[in-house]
Amino acid sequence: SLVRAGLLPRLVRPHQIEGVAACRWCIVDPRKGDGSPLTALVHALCAPEVLGDAFAGFGVEPMLLKRSLEAEPELAVGQVRAALQGLTRAIQADTGETNATARLMVVVDPLEPVFDAADPAPFAAALQALADSGVAWVVAVLRSDHLCHLPRLGKLARQIHLELALELFEAAPLGLGHH
């Protein structure tokens, strides 16, 4: 996909965005695991190369994170923030860059299976909390024929930048394969 081939490699490069020295990232496929999009998100976040190593440092296990995201997503995202702050401190100590930070990018690819979930609300609330956190970026890949289902995502649907997505979609063919 355009996200995997173009956007993700560029955004995760150190210092591609001012002040961001490291970007941990994960691709969430809502179809993976037990069929629960929230479980897929938790397993992606808890992978050692994403935040699992940092979570282990303060006892956050996948099931605990899932229960927290279901009950109080904003509070659970505080654990994500703490993990990223720990990574930020390590980067600053290693590099001496006092303004360097670590960020998280969560890519949901594809988003369509979320609409088939029995209750997409917990997953949408978790993504909303991550997007609102100031320490994470959320990118979702959605086929245009599923745009009509976005209202099922509640508050999250109102924050999706469709104009930007359409601009990227329209611009992509111009930059690919034309010399």
Side-chain angles (χ1 to χ4, degrees):
S1 75
L2 181 61
V3 169
R4 291 178 196 228
L7 180 68
L8 192 55
R10 287 190 177 152
L11 287 182
V12 300
R13 274 191 238 147
H15 301 289
Q16 186 69 24
I17 296 173
E18 187 174 336
V20 179
C23 183
R24 296 281 178 106
W25 59 273
C26 60
I27 296 178
V28 179
D29 183 339
R31 302 169 294 196
K32 299 281 179 157
D34 66 2
S36 159
L38 189 59
T39 300
L41 173 63
V42 167
H43 285 294
L45 291 174
C46 290
E49 67 277 7
V50 183
L51 296 177
D53 56 346
F55 283 155
F58 49 92
V60 175
E61 297 176 358
M63 289 312 296
L64 173 65
L65 182 61
K66 182 178 179 189
R67 284 194 301 274
S68 296
L69 283 169
E70 288 171 327
E72 295 186 61
E74 293 81 12
L75 185 62
V77 169
Q79 295 171 330
V80 171
R81 183 178 290 108
L84 288 166
Q85 287 170 342
L87 293 170
T88 293
R89 284 191 296 277
I91 291 166
Q92 290 173 346
D94 288 348
T95 65
E97 297 177 50
T98 58
N99 293 335
T101 61
R103 290 286 181 266
L104 172 67
M105 176 177 282
V106 176
V107 177
V108 182
D109 187 7
L111 184 62
E112 294 89 348
V114 173
F115 303 126
D116 297 329
D119 183 10
F123 181 74
L127 289 181
Q128 180 69 50
L130 284 165
D132 288 346
S133 71
V135 297
W137 299 300
V138 176
V139 176
V141 177
L142 177 69
R143 291 190 341 243
S144 62
D145 60 329
H146 282 73
L147 289 173
C148 60
H149 298 291
L150 282 176
R152 292 193 63 207
L153 299 181
K155 181 181 173 188
L156 181 63
R158 292 187 294 276
Q159 288 195 320
I160 293 175
H161 300 285
L162 287 179
E163 297 83 16
L164 175 60
L166 292 173
E167 285 177 32
L168 288 171
F169 177 75
E170 291 171 0
L174 299 177
L176 300 176
H178 294 9
H179 303 291

